[in-house]
Amino acid sequence: MEISIAPLNLLAIAPQIVVSVTALVVLLVGLFLPEEHRGRIAWPSLAGVLIAAGLLYYLWDRNDLTLSAMLRTDGYSLFLNLIILIAAALAILFSVDYAGRVRLPRTEYYSLLLLSTTGMMLMTAAVNLITLFLALEMLSIALYVLVGLNRAEQRSGEAAIKYLVLGAFSSGFLLYGMALVYGQVGSMALDDVRVHLLSTGSQSPVLLWLGLGLMLIGFGFKVALVPFHMWTPDVYQGAPTSVTAFMSAGTKVAGFAALGRVTLVAFSGLQNVWIWVLAVLAALTMTIGNLAALRQTNLKRMLAYSSIAHAGYVLVGLTAANRTGLDAVFFYLFIYAFMNTGAFAVLIAAHRLGSSPVAGENLDDLAGLAEHRPWLAAAMALLMFSLTGVPPLAGFLGKLYLFSAAVEAGLIWLAILGVLNSVVSAYYYLRVVVTMYMRDKKGAEVVPAPLCPALQLGIAVAAIATVFWGLWPASILNLVTITTRSFFGG
Amino acid sequence: MIPASYYLILSAVLFTIGAVGLLIRRNALVILMSIEMMLNAANLTLVTYSRFLENIDGQVFALLVMAVAAAEVAVGLAIIVSFVRHRDTTDLDEINLLKG
C-alpha cells in the first residue's frame, strides 16, 4: 500500500513554530539559571516574539493552506498575529520588573506566556473545527495556570479556579456545538460547512442551528460578551496584572479571529439570522459593560468591565458583516492592544510606587500621580482619553470606523447605542484623569522607587501609539484593507 | 443496529447532567467531574456521527479531545490543590475574596 503524505509547508506556520520553540528553550534554560538571574529570561522570550513578528513580514503576501488544510496562513491570520505578538511583547516588557517583585516563578511564567501566545496565533489561522478547538484549549490552559501563578496571593488562586471552571464550561458548549455541526455537515472544515450551507440555506436542520448557537456561546465566554461575562472582572482582578494586560488583549484578538472565521466564512449562508443574534449581544455587551464599570473603584475591575464594553464595540463591526466592518474590527483590535495593555501597565507602575500587595489597584492610589510622576500620569491620561474615544487619538478613529460600518450595514440603532455608550464611558475614564490631576495624595509619603526602564519603554510605546495612529492611521489602514480584500476574495 | 438517535439522545442527556451538575454542585472535585462529563458527552456525539457518516474525522477529534481533557483536569487539580493549601476546603462557596 502506498501512503501519500501531503507536503507539510512548515514555512507558512514558521511564526507559530518560532514562538513555541522559544517557549520550550526558555523552559530548559531556566532550569540551569540560578534563581536571582531568572529575570533575564525575559530577553530571549522577547527575542523569540520579535523574530516571529519579522517572519510575519516575510510571509506577508501568502495565502497557504498547511498541515492537511488544517491551518490557513493568509492576510487575516498574519495581521491578527501581528496584534497578538505586539500584546505579547508589551506584556513581556511589563513583566521584567513586576514578575520578580511579586515572586512569580519566572521560568514557567515566560514559557506559559509564549505557549499561550502560540495558541492564540494558531487560533487565528485555524480553518478546521479540530484546530480551532485545540488552539483555543492551548491558549486557555496556559492562561489558567498564568492567572493562578501568584501563589502567595489567595485572590490569584481564586481567580484561577473561576477561570478554569467557567472556561472549561464554555469549552464544553463549544465542543458540543462543533460535534452537532460536524454531524449535520459531515466534515470539520469550515469551507465545507460554507459549501453545505450554500446548498441548504435556511432549510438547514434544527441541529445545525443548535450547533451554531452552542458555538456562539462558547466564543462568547472567551471574548467576554454579556451575558457570558461574569468571570471577567473577578479573573482580571485576581490575576497578576501583567497577565491581565496580556489576556485582555490577546484572548480578545484570538476569540474574534475565530468568531470572524466561523460567522463570516463557515456560516455565511445563515447571515441574516446570526446578524440579529450578534447585534443583540453587541448592544447588551456595550451597555452592561459600561454601566457596571461606572460604579467600580477598583481600577482592575473597572478596566475589566471596560474591556467587556470594548468587546461590544468590536462586535458591532463584526455584526456589520461587510468589508468596512471587518476593516474597522481589525483597526480597532490593533489600537485596543496598545490602549488596554498600556492602561494595565500604568497600574503595574503604580503598584511599584506603593507598598501593599494591592497598591495601584484602587482609584485612590492614583491620587496626586500627576504631581510626583508627571510622565506616567500623562501617559495614563492619553490612554484613558483614547479608550473614551476623544479625537484626535486612535481610539476615536477606531470607534468612528466601527460605528460607520454599522450605519453602512443599516444597523443605525446599534451605531447610536454605541455612541451613547461612549458618552457614558467618559464618566469613569475621566474620573481616573481627574483623580490623577485634581486630587492630592493623602497620608503616606511617596515611595521614590525608580521605574524599571523596560516598563517605561512599554508604557511609552503604548501611549505614543495611540497618538501616532490617531493622527496618521493610513499606514495601518492600508495593511488592513489589503488583508480584508484577500479575505473577502475581491 | 441501534439507530443513531439513541446515541445522540444519550449524549444530550449526559451533556445536560454535566452542565447542571457544574451549576448546582459546590465541591470543586465534583465540578471537575461534571466538566469531564460534558466533554465526554460531546465525544460520544462525535463518535456516533463519525460511525454513521462513515467519516473518520470525528473519531480523531474525540481522541484529541481526550488528551485536552486530561490536560485540563491536570491543571484543574493543581489549581485546586494550591487552593486547598490556603483554605483547607474544596467547597467553592468559600471563594469570596473577589466581588464587587
Side-chain angles (χ1 to χ4, degrees), chain A residues 57 81 144 169 172 227 268 330 348 353 410 462 470:
Chain A
Y57 177 75
N81 279 347
Y144 300 151
F169 189 56
S268 53
F330 278 24
I348 294 177
L353 301 175

Side-chain angles (χ1 to χ4, degrees), chain A residues 27-112:
Chain A
L27 196 57
L28 272 179
V29 170
L31 273 181
F32 298 102
L33 279 180
E35 178 61 38
E36 66 268 23
H37 292 313
R38 288 206 180 139
R40 292 181 192 163
I41 293 174
W43 306 118
S45 314
L46 188 63
V49 169
L50 294 180
I51 293 171
L55 282 169
L56 293 183
Y57 177 75
Y58 174 70
L59 290 170
W60 192 253
D61 289 328
R62 294 208 172 220
N63 190 350
D64 291 359
L65 276 176
T66 49
L67 300 183
S68 316
M70 285 286 177
L71 297 169
R72 182 186 283 282
T73 300
D74 52 4
Y76 184 93
S77 77
L78 291 171
F79 183 77
L80 293 175
N81 279 347
L82 177 68
I83 308 179
I84 290 167
L85 288 172
I86 288 171
L90 288 174
I92 291 172
L93 284 179
F94 302 153
S95 315
V96 171
D97 171 59
Y98 180 79
R101 201 148 33 81
V102 297
R103 293 177 195 287
L104 302 178
R106 277 168 289 181
T107 316
E108 292 87 340
Y109 174 81
Y110 288 112
S111 183
L112 285 166

Side-chain angles (χ1 to χ4, degrees), chain A residues 41 166-167 203 237 241 259 276 327 377 385 391 399 416 418 469:
Chain A
I41 293 174
L166 286 170
Q203 310 293 306
Q237 187 190 350
T241 313
L259 200 56
W276 290 105
D327 281 353
F385 282 130
K399 276 186 187 162
I416 294 175
W469 278 301

